[in-house]
Amino acid sequence: MTSPTSRRTVLGALLAGGALAAAPGLPREERRPRPPKPPVRAAGTLFLGTYTTTSPGGTGIGVASYDPVSGAITARTTVTGVPDPSYLALHPAGRTLYAVDERSDGGVTAVALAGDGTFRVLGTRSTGGAGPCHLSVHPGGRWLLSANYTSGSVAVHPLADDGSIGERTDLVAHTAPAPGPGQGGPHAHQIVTAPDGGHVLAVDLGNDTVYTYRLDETRGTLDQLSYAALRPGAGPRHLTFHPGGRYAYLACELDNTVVVCGYDPATGTLTPGTPQSTGTGAGTSYPAQLLVTADGRFAYLANRGHNSLTRYAVEGDGAALRLLDTVPVGGDFPRHTALSPDGALLLAANQRSGTVTVFRVDAATGALTPTGAPFAFPAAVCVLPVAGPGR
């Protein structure tokens, strides 16, 4: 057995030789390299669509910042000179923003996004119809597609290298099949390019129909290939593709249902399945749109009237939606929703309450958790979150 004096002598020798230099609490511990701090995630930009001719209403396209972690939104400025910009889309190059002018003399407007954070309206072109409510940029970045709700037609415009819009190259009216019950005519509500890139689909609420077109990328014209008829009175409003590209989901506004559709990328044929519940019960509600997570595991439906978000589990590689729950949206009349570019946040534009609400998305379960107080923005009808630099 060693004495206390002997133990102190041994300990001193070990310290002098460095054998215990790595022990917790010793001076040399502080010299170890520390792990790098995680990078600060830059704030993203949030573009907001509104109506400028309603009361209350906005004055143009709203521009705000959002924190990608907390979800907090901070107002920045407003792009004026764009009337009733109710729907927005970003060019694939990220340098130009496009807006519909949802008026009786419908138009589409291009806004240049400068690197210094300023904005410049490049000009407006007529859509050849009334009440355009949706637009999208073809993946190649050379064509702008828009849907005229009131007149039931879809239009094509060329895009110049600087993002400006050229004269319309095509206008296609939805004349057949006949309008659904209670509809005075066709009402084109959306036009979007399928994931295969070779087909353009237009959703018509008035005709209860989804049309498949092929875009001639030389002439800028649409050639109809087929159409898919929904049950009369369904009122299809918005189509969202599963990332796998073999299935798409339709939000049907008038009969308060969701329809899973098979999709054939080779032909562009859409095959609607059986309508299913939105989870909103017997009260009046109008589904607005569906979102699907980038990994294809969960889908979310915005319900106007019920003022909720329905969460679905996506099963069978996209072939089925299983209703999980509904959560209050925290506002009135959620007209449009969007996921942040990293999928961590879901943002909802609530038209009647004039607010944007933000939810954190649980990547494992898809559960939604409110992040804080709503952000006030008059007649909020569209949200377009864009990632900040360095992400």
Side-chain angles (χ1 to χ4, degrees):
M1 182 174 180
T2 59
S3 67
T5 301
S6 300
R7 288 197 296 271
R8 286 195 295 270
T9 301
V10 172
L11 179 61
L14 290 171
L15 286 170
L20 295 184
L26 295 177
R28 290 192 184 182
E29 177 73 16
E30 297 179 0
R31 301 177 202 169
R32 285 185 175 182
R34 297 179 180 179
K37 293 181 179 180
V40 177
R41 298 172 67 188
T45 298
L46 179 64
F47 297 107
L48 298 159
T50 185
Y51 287 112
T52 59
T53 54
T54 62
S55 182
T59 56
I61 300 171
V63 184
S65 297
Y66 73 94
D67 187 300
V69 177
S70 70
I73 299 173
T74 304
R76 283 167 48 188
T77 188
T78 300
V79 181
T80 58
V82 187
D84 291 319
S86 64
Y87 198 88
L88 309 172
L90 190 68
H91 190 280
R95 296 189 296 270
T96 314
L97 181 71
Y98 299 98
V100 296
D101 305 343
E102 192 174 338
R103 316 186 92 179
S104 57
D105 52 342
V108 284
T109 297
V111 179
L113 312 179
D116 60 359
T118 59
F119 308 92
R120 180 168 58 92
V121 176
L122 297 176
T124 300
R125 296 288 187 179
S126 169
T127 60
C133 65
H134 187 270
L135 82 172
S136 61
V137 183
H138 190 263
R142 295 181 54 237
W143 302 100
L144 184 67
L145 312 169
S146 57
N148 293 307
Y149 177 83
T150 306
S151 52
S153 60
V154 291
V156 184
H157 289 81
L159 298 177
D161 290 343
D162 66 353
S164 60
I165 306 170
E167 288 287 354
R168 188 178 64 252
T169 54
D170 204 3
L171 180 67
V172 179
H174 293 163
T175 57
Q183 300 294 324
H187 297 304
H189 214 299
Q190 181 195 28
I191 184 164
V192 63
T193 304
D196 57 74
H199 300 96
V200 172
L201 284 81
V203 180
D204 196 295
L205 183 148
N207 286 0
D208 298 317
T209 299
V210 180
Y211 299 86
T212 296
Y213 297 98
R214 187 178 299 282
L215 173 67
D216 185 318
E217 296 188 53
T218 301
R219 298 182 300 148
T221 55
L222 294 170
D223 299 314
Q224 184 177 319
L225 302 179
S226 63
Y227 68 83
L230 281 292
R231 66 178 181 178
R237 174 186 176 92
H238 191 276
L239 180 81
T240 303
F241 279 92
H242 182 270
R246 304 287 306 194
Y247 297 95
Y249 312 117
L250 266 174
C252 294
E253 175 177 338
L254 300 183
D255 69 358
N256 191 21
T257 63
V258 166
V259 177
V260 178
C261 305
Y263 177 74
D264 183 353
T267 64
T269 302
L270 193 75
T271 306
T274 303
Q276 61 188 81
S277 172
T278 62
T280 58
T284 301
S285 192
Y286 305 98
Q289 69 167 121
L290 281 147
L291 298 174
V292 182
T293 56
D295 60 10
R297 296 179 57 215
F298 300 100
Y300 305 96
L301 174 69
N303 303 298
R304 296 165 298 162
H306 193 255
N307 289 337
S308 65
L309 299 168
T310 301
R311 178 174 60 122
Y312 295 93
V314 180
E315 299 177 334
D317 292 329
L321 295 178
R322 177 168 56 88
L323 195 154
L324 296 175
D325 59 15
T326 61
V327 298
V329 75
D332 190 1
F333 221 63
R335 171 77 172 265
H336 184 253
T337 56
L339 291 166
S340 60
D342 62 3
L345 301 174
L346 185 152
L347 300 91
N350 305 296
Q351 181 177 357
R352 292 178 179 171
S353 57
T355 57
V356 176
T357 46
V358 185
F359 297 81
R360 187 168 292 106
V361 180
D362 187 300
T365 67
L368 301 175
T369 305
T371 61
F375 174 76
F377 187 76
V381 292
C382 184
V383 282
L384 179 58
V386 179
R391 290 176 62 200

